[in-house]
């Protein structure tokens, strides 16, 4: 199965992280999904600027939008 996309995490029990949000068609658009364990999914929510720098969250202006 998928493992957490967070660097150096070995947890294989993951959530679907929606890197551009879940509104409308984005909810099911797998292009913007990342597997993240619950702890790192929570981390992204607490530290969005760092998560953006790491490529784990949409850049400014991309949230809620598909390419």
């Amino acid at each position: 199965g998928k493992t957490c996309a967070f660097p150096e995490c070995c947890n294989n029990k993951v959530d679907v992280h929606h890197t551009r949000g879940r509104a409308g068609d984005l909810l099911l658009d797998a292009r913007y999904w990342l597997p993240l364990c619950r702890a790192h999914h929570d981390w992204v929510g607490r530290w969005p600027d760092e998560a953006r720098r790491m490529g784990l969250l949409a850049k400014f202006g991309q949230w809620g939008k598909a390419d």
Side-chain angles (χ1 to χ4, degrees), residues 23-45:
D25 291 337
L26 289 174
L27 179 65
L28 300 177
D29 194 334
R31 294 178 296 168
Y32 307 114
W33 292 355
L34 277 180
L36 289 178
C37 70
R38 173 49 36 197
H40 286 124
H41 206 167
D42 291 344
W43 183 92
V44 167

Side-chain angles (χ1 to χ4, degrees), residues 8-61:
E8 300 180 14
C9 181
C10 61
N11 194 335
N12 63 0
K13 185 176 179 184
V14 296
D15 299 336
V16 173
H17 169 56
H18 296 80
T19 62
R20 292 200 182 190
R22 299 176 300 197
D25 291 337
L26 289 174
L27 179 65
L28 300 177
D29 194 334
R31 294 178 296 168
Y32 307 114
W33 292 355
L34 277 180
L36 289 178
C37 70
R38 173 49 36 197
H40 286 124
H41 206 167
D42 291 344
W43 183 92
V44 167
R46 283 192 308 271
W47 305 102
D49 292 338
E50 183 64 21
R52 269 188 205 91
R53 283 192 286 277
M54 295 173 70
L56 301 171
L57 194 59
K59 295 177 183 174
F60 286 108

